[in-house]
Amino acid sequence: MVLEKVESVATVPRIRSYVYNLDEQMEGGIPKGFVVLVCGRPGSMKSSLTYFMMHMQALKEGRRGVYFTLEQNRASFARHLSHIGLDPDASDRVTILDVSALRRTFGDRGPKGDTNWLEAIVSQAASFKSQYECEIVAIDSMSALYSLHEFQNPRRELFHFFEGLRALDVTIFLISEMFDPTKEIFARYEVEDFLADAVIHLKVDRRDGGSNLYLGIVKMRETRHSRDYFPLIVEPEGFEIVPH
Amino acid sequence: MSPELEIRLVESMRPLFGDFAESALQQQKAKLGMRHSMGRDEYLRLVEEIKAMCSVIAGPSIADRLYQGLVAIVQEGA
């Protein structure tokens, strides 16, 4: 019985992060089909890390992905990625989809003035998957999405949002900004980390005029993972954590 | 051209334009001064414009894939 359980855990298909030394800390990668919250304060490289993982999956394993950017425009994001050595044109398998441009052109309320953005983004991701066969979806950011959606009952609506995402049967990265520097609140409504299958937390430690990044796996279902925070290094060759 | 043609074009645009697919198509039609009773060549001009718009929001590679699909729909509808 125990042996069977161990085998089933070991055979969960996983998506490698390609962050050097990280996959070893989580049984080889993120379980395929998980909804992953990537959270941190401004400047913690949430978007860059997420795009890096998608970029490497495309280059090394041919997996297609779509990265929805709700506030930063595509050109600006692409320039930023180029500065850290990631060329968005190196692979046509990751599409950066500039929802901010659509918002600027057509307005935030949608064509009929009553767009439910939580449903609309899930529906668009489903439509993208159906036509272009993607396996990874990123939504940047949750705060931007929340600014477009008028919640009546956040807990209930977010439950259905996460279930809708999970039903897509792709691996999802949700980028979540943490605003309160005094608290470890991973997302605005404080239920997102319960609803997500995994939480990756990026910390910025600013002291003595310096700034260091740390990465911690706060939660990852179906995975024996380290709960330590590791120094995160960004090199021209890619991201790397330094194990203890 | 078949009245269903625009419905097929909009559906094909939905993965990239989401809920704004129809608005994007109508906006490009208005920009080109197109009204009812459009012929094949006008639709081909229209999909060129949609490709250019898509290139801005999603990049040239996927815009090209969308364009190929839209052209095929127009050719089938001709």
Side-chain angles (χ1 to χ4, degrees):
Chain A
M1 194 70 167
V2 172
L3 281 175
E4 276 175 27
K5 193 174 179 186
V6 168
E7 190 178 358
S8 75
V9 167
T11 55
V12 170
R14 289 174 189 271
I15 298 269
R16 290 185 63 187
S17 70
Y18 286 98
V19 173
Y20 192 66
N21 290 326
L22 178 61
D23 293 319
E24 293 86 336
Q25 306 294 332
M26 49 183 183
E27 290 189 52
I30 298 162
K32 210 172 157 188
F34 265 24
V35 179
V36 184
L37 209 59
V38 181
C39 46
R41 297 194 214 296
S44 55
M45 304 201 80
K46 304 176 290 296
S47 305
S48 307
L49 176 74
T50 301
Y51 183 84
F52 171 79
M53 292 190 281
M54 296 175 74
H55 181 81
M56 294 305 288
Q57 276 291 327
L59 284 183
K60 301 280 187 184
E61 301 187 33
R63 286 201 166 94
R64 292 189 184 281
V66 58
Y67 189 109
F68 290 93
T69 169
L70 274 71
E71 282 182 335
Q72 186 172 14
N73 74 56
R74 189 179 182 283
S76 156
F77 187 46
R79 279 196 303 274
H80 168 73
L81 293 171
S82 297
H83 271 108
I84 56 166
L86 292 170
D87 177 8
D89 295 328
S91 166
D92 63 358
R93 288 178 175 267
V94 182
T95 299
I96 300 170
L97 214 161
D98 188 349
V99 180
S100 74
L102 294 171
R103 292 176 56 197
R104 280 192 300 277
T105 307
F106 301 107
D108 283 345
R109 298 190 62 81
K112 292 175 186 155
D114 59 354
T115 290
N116 176 327
W117 276 91
L118 296 185
E119 289 176 5
I121 207 89
V122 173
S123 169
Q124 189 170 354
S127 174
F128 191 97
K129 182 194 171 189
S130 164
Q131 193 152 324
Y132 299 111
E133 298 173 351
C134 72
E135 294 181 69
I136 309 175
V137 172
I139 299 173
D140 187 358
S141 65
M142 294 296 278
S143 306
L145 188 58
Y146 291 168
S147 75
L148 295 167
H149 184 80
E150 288 174 19
F151 283 99
Q152 304 297 319
N153 183 330
R155 191 166 190 129
R156 190 168 65 199
E157 288 163 63
L158 285 170
F159 169 79
H160 289 293
F161 174 62
F162 274 73
E163 286 303 297
L165 291 173
R166 210 167 270 121
L168 293 173
D169 195 25
V170 297
T171 305
I172 311 259
F173 293 105
L174 300 175
I175 292 168
S176 176
E177 285 144 351
M178 295 169 66
F179 294 106
D180 188 339
T182 63
K183 293 176 186 163
E184 299 265 292
I185 296 172
F186 296 117
R188 183 176 305 171
Y189 293 104
E190 301 185 46
V191 295
E192 295 91 333
D193 47 332
F194 292 101
L195 294 169
D197 300 302
V199 177
I200 295 174
H201 180 200
L202 298 172
K203 266 186 181 178
V204 188
D205 181 19
R206 293 189 176 96
R207 65 176 76 174
D208 303 328
S211 176
N212 292 308
L213 280 173
Y214 293 87
L215 181 150
I217 303 163
V218 175
K219 167 184 177 180
M220 191 160 295
R221 288 175 175 153
E222 300 173 35
T223 304
R224 288 182 297 269
H225 63 88
S226 169
R227 284 178 167 73
D228 293 342
Y229 278 82
F230 303 101
L232 178 68
I233 297 168
V234 189
E235 299 280 11
E237 301 78 30
F239 285 75
E240 173 181 352
I241 61 159
V242 182
H244 304 305
Chain B
M1 304 289 281
S2 157
E4 289 176 6
L5 178 76
E6 287 189 17
I7 296 171
R8 291 185 63 200
L9 292 176
V10 166
E11 283 312 308
S12 196
M13 292 164 64
R14 211 169 284 286
L16 299 164
F17 291 86
D19 277 8
F20 299 107
E22 186 169 1
S23 305
L25 182 122
Q26 295 304 333
Q27 187 201 58
Q28 295 308 311
K29 276 176 73 175
K31 186 176 150 191
L32 293 168
M34 294 173 172
R35 292 171 183 272
H36 304 294
S37 311
M38 288 162 57
R40 177 179 166 278
D41 290 346
E42 284 174 298
Y43 272 111
L44 288 174
R45 273 178 58 212
L46 176 64
V47 299
E48 287 274 359
E49 291 297 322
I50 292 167
K51 177 188 176 185
M53 190 180 191
C54 181
S55 192
V56 174
I57 66 160
S61 170
I62 199 99
D64 198 51
R65 290 183 69 184
L66 173 69
Y67 175 71
Q68 304 294 340
L70 296 178
V71 167
I73 291 168
V74 172
Q75 303 286 21
E76 281 170 27

